[in-house]
Amino acid sequence: MTQTFKVGDKVVNDVFGVGEIVYGPYDGVGSDASYFFKSESGIHHAVTGRYCKPAAKFKVGDMVKSRFGRVYTVEAGPFFAPGEWYALKADASGNVVHSLADEVNLVTPEPAKDEAVVNGVSYDLTAKYRDRDGDYWRFERRSDGAVRGDCTRTPNGDINIDDWSDTLEAAVHKYGPLTRV
C-alpha cells in the first residue's frame, strides 16, 4: 500500500534512510505518488510513497510529558493505527497508558547537575546531609526537575525518594539547617 505524505513529514525511505518530505505529492510512475525527499545528509532525492514509512516521533525509553504535566516513559511503539501512538508508563504508579504522539512532548533532559542552591546555600546532590533532629538526608533531581529527598534515622539506612518526597526547599525550611556529613 502506498503511503500518502505531506511537506514536513519525517519519513524513513527504504533506500536513503531517515529524512523529510520537502515537496509533493506529485504524479509518479504508475499509480504511486512521488515526492522530493531530503535525507539527513542534506541530499535531495525523488522517491515514491511505496518505499517510505512514517518516522517515529519517539523511541522506547524516551521521557515524554503530557499537556497536563505528567511525565511518562515510552514503553512501546510507535503504532500507526488510527494514527501514531505509543504505550507510556507512568513513573510513580507504574500504570501503562496509550497516547497519540501529538498529545505528548519529548522531555529535554537537563544537563547533569550535582548541586542545587536554596537560600544562597549550595547543596551537593551526591552527598548526605544531617538535619537539626539528627536524621540523615539524601537528595536527587527528579525527572520533572524538582530536587526531592528523604531521610532515615541511621547513617546507612534505606532512603526511598519518590515524587511525593519532600523538596530540598521544604526540608531546609522544616528541618534545617542541613549539614553535610
Side-chain angles (χ1 to χ4, degrees), residues 110-114:
E110 291 186 24
K113 294 181 182 176
D114 292 332

Side-chain angles (χ1 to χ4, degrees), residues 2 23-36 46-50:
T2 300
Y23 180 80
Y26 63 91
D27 289 336
V29 178
S31 63
D32 285 338
S34 292
Y35 303 88
F36 283 123
V47 298
T48 60
R50 174 185 304 224

Side-chain angles (χ1 to χ4, degrees), residues 75-131:
E75 288 289 308
F79 305 101
F80 291 101
E84 184 178 357
W85 64 275
Y86 295 83
L88 307 175
K89 181 178 177 184
D91 290 336
S93 68
N95 293 332
V96 176
V97 299
H98 73 279
S99 178
L100 293 172
D102 293 340
E103 294 177 343
V104 293
N105 293 310
L106 188 63
V107 173
T108 306
E110 291 186 24
K113 294 181 182 176
D114 292 332
E115 69 174 23
V117 178
V118 176
N119 298 333
V121 177
S122 180
Y123 293 89
D124 182 351
L125 300 184
T126 63
K128 284 187 181 178
Y129 289 88
R130 197 159 191 196
D131 67 19

Side-chain angles (χ1 to χ4, degrees), residues 31-98:
S31 63
D32 285 338
S34 292
Y35 303 88
F36 283 123
F37 166 88
K38 182 179 179 183
S39 68
E40 285 186 323
S41 65
I43 299 173
H44 290 79
H45 304 277
V47 298
T48 60
R50 174 185 304 224
Y51 299 108
C52 294
K53 63 184 177 213
K57 186 173 180 181
F58 308 110
K59 64 182 182 305
V60 171
D62 280 349
M63 300 293 288
V64 296
K65 185 183 278 190
S66 74
R67 67 181 102 176
F68 303 109
R70 185 125 193 218
V71 176
Y72 299 92
T73 303
V74 175
E75 288 289 308
F79 305 101
F80 291 101
E84 184 178 357
W85 64 275
Y86 295 83
L88 307 175
K89 181 178 177 184
D91 290 336
S93 68
N95 293 332
V96 176
V97 299
H98 73 279

Side-chain angles (χ1 to χ4, degrees), residues 111-162:
K113 294 181 182 176
D114 292 332
E115 69 174 23
V117 178
V118 176
N119 298 333
V121 177
S122 180
Y123 293 89
D124 182 351
L125 300 184
T126 63
K128 284 187 181 178
Y129 289 88
R130 197 159 191 196
D131 67 19
R132 66 175 174 239
D133 298 326
D135 293 330
Y136 294 89
W137 287 82
R138 187 174 57 81
F139 298 94
E140 69 181 29
R141 190 172 307 277
R142 306 294 292 171
S143 61
D144 63 359
V147 176
R148 295 191 178 273
D150 204 354
C151 67
T152 181
R153 295 289 306 157
T154 61
N156 296 319
D158 288 337
I159 294 177
N160 182 26
I161 302 171
D162 60 28

Side-chain angles (χ1 to χ4, degrees), residues 4-11 19-22:
T4 302
F5 301 103
K6 64 185 182 313
V7 172
D9 283 352
K10 306 289 187 213
V11 298
E20 179 180 345
I21 300 296
V22 294

